[in-house]
């Protein structure tokens, strides 16, 4: 089925006034993820997508052990009052106590030590009175307290990670705790990109009259690098049919995804669009959003194409709202990667008309123990400073009108825990 057939089945699909949620749905309905799998040493799996189920072959921890420094004993020995027990020896983490613990006896234990045979409860050292070879245990202990049981973290045979999960520091540690040296992951997505525009100069050359330095390739470099994809920066391409054709063909040859910026706006020389349409199957959308109204999506050869607008803020907004999710989906992620929308109070009034989704650049800050958000000032789609000053998007929903000071709004944070 062609892309157009696939997306035109969507309820409410209108390429000239496409809602953000519809555009997102249209994109996702067309994507198929990369299939190839490779084996990597655990450390190198950070940021990759797991391509196997992880099923523990051992229990973690492998033995019952003590969670505290103290005395391991038999709970049944304890009387309702103080109980005097004979101390037999010491067990340390990695140095178990060799003997057996009988009635009226106990063993001094340090955190992580294997529970000595016969014991079931640990009493912390702070409450115990030592009298030579004996210790006095006060009343009020609970059976099994301060013990970590074998398999309490990971149990033999019980799957713990599913294929499609992002490998983060916690997963690295968890896999290492099972003693697994190598794991299977999806191959990295390959993304090629270039900027289009006769007015663009590259860093290193002097600006001629009417030129601007190409910044889009740098924001794209940053955003793509953080997503952990392989990137191929194809530079600046003039608004010239021959050059553009070559660039598209080169990009689509090796990449899973091609991203371009510029050349899709209404006032733009039409041949960029014409060329995209000639080379593959490309849909041109006017999305009901701000910034980022014009956008192209389609296929050239095997590669998916995202033709983003030229304005620097529009590039970042359309990347985060559409391309990011598409790339994660294509990478084989099946865990929940949606960016959370948090509700916070707007410190000021914000202008907005119903009928489009807006992504205003906001600063989330704490005042009197409450989180509030304000906009960064000038919100033009060419004002990249607004992104640099911001730490979040203020997402003003399609139907929403103006926001009064003190009203709650939705925000998307730019950063999480790294
Ligand atoms: P376009 O979508 O090609 O009409 O471009 C819209 C606006 O974005 C114009 O003012 C361009 O100069 C600017 N622009 C396009 N590409 C870039 C780029 N790579 N870096 C900085 N500004 C750009
Ligand atoms: Mg242009």
């Amino acid at each position: 089925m062609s892309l157009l057939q696939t997306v035109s089945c969507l309820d409410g699909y209108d390429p000239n006034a496409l809602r953000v949620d519809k555009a997102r749905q249209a994109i996702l309905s067309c994507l198929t993820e990369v299939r190839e799998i490779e084996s990597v040493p655990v450390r190198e799996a950070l940021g990759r997508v797991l391509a196997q189920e992880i099923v523990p072959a051992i229990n973690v921890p492998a033995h019952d052990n003590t969670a505290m420094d103290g005395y391991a004993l038999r709970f049944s020995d304890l009387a309702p009052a103080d109980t005097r027990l004979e101390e037999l020896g010491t067990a340390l983490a990695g140095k178990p106590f060799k003997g057996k613990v009988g009635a009226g006896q106990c063993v001094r234990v340090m955190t992580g030590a294997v529970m000595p045979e016969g014991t079931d409860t640990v009493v912390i050292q702070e409450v115990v009175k030592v009298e030579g070879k004996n210790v006095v245990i006060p009343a009020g202990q609970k059976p099994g307290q301060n013990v970590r049981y074998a398999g309490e973290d990971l149990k033999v045979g019980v799957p713990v990670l599913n294929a499609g999960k992002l490998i983060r520091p916690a997963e690295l540690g968890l896999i290492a705790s099972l003693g697994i040296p190598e794991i299977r992951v999806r191959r990295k997505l390959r993304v090629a990109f270039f900027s289009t525009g006769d007015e663009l100069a590259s860093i290193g050359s002097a600006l001629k009259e009417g030129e601007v330095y190409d910044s889009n390739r740098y924001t794209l470099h940053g955003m793509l690098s953080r997503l952990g994809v392989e990137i191929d920066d194809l530079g600046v391409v003039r608004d010239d049919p021959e050059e553009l054709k070559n660039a598209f063909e080169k990009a689509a040859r090796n990449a899973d995804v091609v991203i371009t910026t510029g050349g899709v706006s209404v006032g733009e020389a039409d041949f960029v669009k014409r060329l995209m349409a000639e080379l593959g199957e490309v849909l041109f959308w006017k999305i009901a959003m701000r910034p980022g109204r014009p956008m192209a999506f389609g296929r050239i050869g095997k590669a998916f194409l995202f033709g983003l607008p030229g304005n620097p803020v529009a590039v970042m907004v359309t990347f985060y709202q559409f391309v990011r999710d598409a790339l994660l989906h294509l990478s084989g992620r099946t865990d929940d990667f949606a960016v959370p929308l948090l509700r916070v109070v707007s410190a000021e009034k914000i202008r907005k008309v119903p009928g489009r989704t807006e992504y205003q650049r906001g600063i989330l800050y704490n005042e009197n123990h409450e989180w509030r958000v304000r906009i960064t000032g000038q919100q033009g789609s060419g004002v990249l400073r607004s992104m640099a000053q911001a730490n979040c998007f203020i997402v003003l929903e399609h139907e929403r009108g103006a926001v009064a000071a003190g009203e709650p709004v939705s925000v998307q944070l730019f950063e999480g825990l790294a």
Side-chain angles (χ1 to χ4, degrees):
M1 198 155 62
S2 72
L3 290 185
L4 189 56
Q5 285 169 323
T6 308
V7 304
S8 54
C9 304
L10 297 175
D11 204 21
Y13 176 77
D14 174 359
N16 289 312
L18 192 56
R19 290 177 60 116
V20 167
D21 47 357
K22 285 289 158 204
R24 205 175 273 143
Q25 208 186 337
I27 292 167
L28 291 179
S29 70
C30 298
L31 302 176
T32 43
E33 70 258 29
V34 298
R35 291 250 157 254
E36 297 97 316
I37 287 169
E38 58 197 35
S39 255
V40 294
V42 174
R43 271 198 192 89
E44 284 171 32
L46 182 65
R48 304 292 296 272
V49 180
L50 189 61
Q52 66 176 96
E53 191 177 52
I54 300 288
V55 185
I58 58 169
N59 279 325
V60 178
H63 311 275
D64 295 351
N65 67 87
T66 171
M68 303 292 279
D69 294 346
Y71 293 84
L73 47 81
R74 307 150 68 97
F75 183 77
S76 57
D77 281 350
L78 300 182
D82 285 1
T83 310
R84 185 178 307 263
L85 299 174
E86 176 198 1
E87 184 195 320
L88 294 182
T90 303
L92 305 169
K95 292 212 170 55
F97 177 74
K98 293 274 162 33
K100 224 173 156 172
V101 180
Q105 300 177 323
C106 68
V107 171
R108 178 151 165 72
V109 290
M110 298 302 175
T111 305
V114 173
M115 288 295 285
E117 198 182 332
T119 66
D120 54 30
T121 298
V122 172
V123 176
I124 59 171
Q125 60 188 12
E126 288 79 358
V127 301
V128 162
K129 223 184 310 149
V130 180
E131 294 176 352
K133 287 293 282 172
N134 292 330
V135 293
V136 179
I137 311 291
Q141 310 303 325
K142 294 193 183 67
Q145 70 186 18
N146 301 321
V147 178
R148 300 189 288 216
Y149 293 99
E152 172 179 295
D153 185 356
L154 307 174
K155 259 195 186 56
V156 171
V158 179
V160 58
L161 299 177
N162 293 324
K165 192 167 198 325
L166 173 70
I167 308 284
R168 305 168 303 169
E171 283 75 24
L172 286 187
L174 188 148
I175 290 163
S177 78
L178 291 167
I180 299 172
E182 269 198 2
I183 53 168
R184 293 200 296 281
V185 295
R186 295 282 178 120
R187 86 155 158 77
K188 282 189 184 177
L189 208 61
R190 292 191 279 265
V191 181
F193 59 94
F194 57 88
S195 298
T196 71
D198 282 335
E199 77 282 27
L200 302 180
S202 287
I203 291 179
S205 65
L207 272 192
K208 299 199 196 76
E209 199 188 341
E211 287 188 338
V212 293
Y213 282 117
D214 170 15
S215 59
N216 289 343
R217 271 166 50 233
Y218 290 82
T219 45
L220 276 176
H221 171 90
M223 294 187 292
L224 289 166
S225 298
R226 282 184 160 192
L227 283 183
V229 300
E230 264 175 32
I231 55 184
D232 189 7
D233 180 346
L234 299 175
V236 172
V237 179
R238 307 277 130 219
D239 291 325
D240 169 82
E242 206 47 37
E243 267 195 59
L244 276 165
K245 187 162 182 282
N246 289 341
F248 275 117
E249 283 173 347
K250 185 169 176 224
R253 211 171 298 137
N254 295 315
D256 302 300
V257 176
V258 176
I259 301 174
T260 63
T261 63
V264 292
S265 59
V266 180
E268 190 76 8
D270 265 347
F271 60 84
V272 183
K273 286 189 261 184
R274 205 176 335 119
L275 203 76
M276 286 186 189
E278 265 171 40
L279 292 170
E281 195 194 356
V282 182
L283 312 172
F284 295 92
W285 290 335
K286 291 190 189 71
I287 303 179
M289 69 187 290
R290 188 149 114 166
R293 194 160 118 87
M295 198 175 103
F297 168 69
R299 282 198 97 130
I300 292 183
K302 283 209 182 69
F304 287 100
L305 170 77
F306 288 91
L308 305 185
N311 276 307
V313 180
V315 168
M316 296 195 77
V317 169
T318 49
F319 183 92
Y320 284 126
Q321 302 307 324
F322 302 111
V323 185
R324 171 194 178 271
D325 286 13
L327 297 182
L328 296 180
H329 186 85
L330 286 169
S331 307
R333 290 274 299 274
T334 56
D335 50 359
D336 183 10
F337 51 72
V339 180
L341 279 172
L342 310 173
R343 297 289 277 179
V344 295
V345 167
S346 176
E348 57 195 5
K349 63 175 197 281
I350 307 175
R351 271 187 295 182
K352 161 78 166 68
V353 289
R356 66 183 182 216
T357 307
E358 291 196 10
Y359 298 90
Q360 303 226 358
R361 277 72 71 204
I363 298 170
L364 186 67
Y365 64 99
N366 194 289
E367 195 174 73
N368 302 326
H369 310 291
E370 194 184 10
W371 288 98
R372 300 169 158 269
V373 69
R374 62 186 157 85
I375 57 174
T376 54
Q378 234 180 315
Q379 295 287 303
S381 63
V383 183
L384 198 49
R385 177 169 43 87
S386 70
M387 281 298 296
Q389 287 174 340
N391 58 12
C392 66
F393 284 126
I394 303 172
V395 182
L396 302 175
E397 298 81 1
H398 189 91
E399 275 82 17
R400 187 156 193 169
V403 176
E407 266 182 43
V409 289
S410 299
V411 301
Q412 272 179 342
L413 287 179
F414 287 173
E415 310 287 336
L417 294 176

